[in-house]
Amino acid sequence: MSTTRGFTVAIDGPAASGKGTISKAVAEHFGFAHLDTGLLYRAVGAKVLLGIEPVAAARALVPEDLDSDALRTPEIAQEASKVAALPEVRAALVDFQRSFAARAGGAVLDGRDIGTVICPAAQVKLFVIADAVVRARRRFAELTEKGIQTTFEDVLADVHARDERDMGRVDAPLRAADDAVEIDTTEMKIADAVAAAVALIEAKRDTGT
Ligand SMILES: Nc1ncnc2c1ncn2[C@@H]1O[C@H](COP(=O)(O)OP(=O)(O)O)[C@@H](O)[C@H]1O
Ligand SMILES: Nc1ccn([C@@H]2O[C@H](COP(=O)(O)OP(=O)(O)O)[C@@H](O)[C@H]2O)c(=O)n1
């Protein structure tokens, strides 16, 4: 088995496709550190909603800003995808993500541009997708469970709007890297999606390719 030093797993995909769930589980399985990079953009979005200028907010971000569960609202998700279209905001967040990826012991990063821009040399790249209606159903259930008032229609609209903005922006648009492996979770149970990801990572670790 090859060393896990500097071993990076990049997991990208659209909103609520299951990439965070898979990332957390594989990080636990392999003992890797995990960074949900969406939290960086959500934290900037939250500050913008408080009246702070986006680039200044991105440059001033500290790890403690990522701790809050309050970042998981649809309002902040929308604002996150707006600030994420600003090249200077993205540029301000690159070093933090790359340092995280390089840590000893291995790292999993999930987001939109990890395999394409942040870690183009990642040893494993996964692109997680699912049907938009299924994604919205899952996200609606999650938000309702957390006591956040919303409707399925609003969640579906949020998913569509963010997908379009994230895929359509000029800087680091959401797309699969040429060497990414796609996992479609539409009809998969969480355990099966995680098992598929674990198997792909095992194979890369064992061959060292
Ligand atoms: N394969 C799956 N089957 C059913 N529910 C899932 C599956 N994967 C994720 N979920 C649920 O869908 C919601 C969104 O998943 P999450 O991992 O947060 O997506 P993302 O990180 O891509 O936004 C969560 O409530 C999660 O528990
Ligand atoms: N690497 C990343 C991660 C998130 N984002 C942006 O941040 C928003 C929120 O990301 P997220 O991963 O928390 O969203 P969900 O997939 O959890 O709904 C996305 O809609 C993107 O606009 C990005 O541009 N690049």
Side-chain angles (χ1 to χ4, degrees):
M1 184 177 291
S2 65
T3 173
T4 51
R5 189 179 167 77
F7 190 94
T8 306
V9 180
I11 306 190
D12 293 302
S17 55
K19 59 193 178 301
T21 301
I22 292 173
S23 299
K24 248 180 254 139
V26 300
E28 202 166 303
H29 181 92
F30 291 102
F32 295 161
H34 171 220
L35 178 64
D36 171 355
T37 65
L39 285 177
L40 299 169
Y41 296 91
R42 286 176 182 259
V44 175
K47 285 180 190 273
V48 169
L49 289 171
L50 294 174
I52 301 171
E53 194 276 322
V55 179
R59 288 183 180 152
L61 219 59
V62 290
E64 296 73 52
D65 290 328
L66 311 181
D67 278 348
S68 172
D69 240 10
L71 295 175
R72 303 261 178 215
T73 67
E75 191 192 16
I76 292 176
Q78 274 295 325
E79 196 57 40
S81 107
K82 289 179 190 163
V83 301
L86 303 173
E88 281 179 284
V89 166
R90 304 199 71 83
L93 302 175
V94 168
D95 287 351
F96 178 77
Q97 295 174 82
R98 289 200 177 137
S99 309
F100 191 97
R103 61 175 55 196
V108 184
L109 287 81
D110 74 285
R112 301 293 187 287
D113 63 339
I114 308 304
T116 51
V117 175
I118 301 297
C119 303
Q123 282 77 359
V124 182
K125 297 181 188 179
L126 306 179
F127 196 74
V128 183
I129 60 163
D131 175 79
V133 171
V134 170
R135 289 189 277 131
R137 253 189 233 134
R138 291 174 182 166
R139 182 50 52 82
F140 175 64
E142 177 189 342
L143 292 169
T144 305
E145 170 83 12
K146 282 185 184 157
I148 295 172
Q149 297 282 334
T150 185
T151 63
F152 169 75
E153 288 70 26
D154 282 353
V155 174
L156 183 60
D158 168 71
V159 161
H160 280 312
R162 284 199 289 135
D163 285 356
E164 262 180 47
R165 206 181 286 120
D166 293 348
M167 290 187 292
R169 67 184 175 224
V170 173
D171 192 19
L174 167 65
R175 68 168 184 84
D178 293 340
D179 51 348
V181 177
E182 186 177 280
I183 298 179
D184 184 340
T185 71
T186 306
E187 293 185 359
M188 279 177 128
K189 289 189 171 32
I190 289 177
D192 295 334
V194 170
V198 166
L200 287 162
I201 296 166
E202 290 276 9
K204 291 279 185 181
R205 281 214 319 175
D206 290 347
T207 59
T209 55

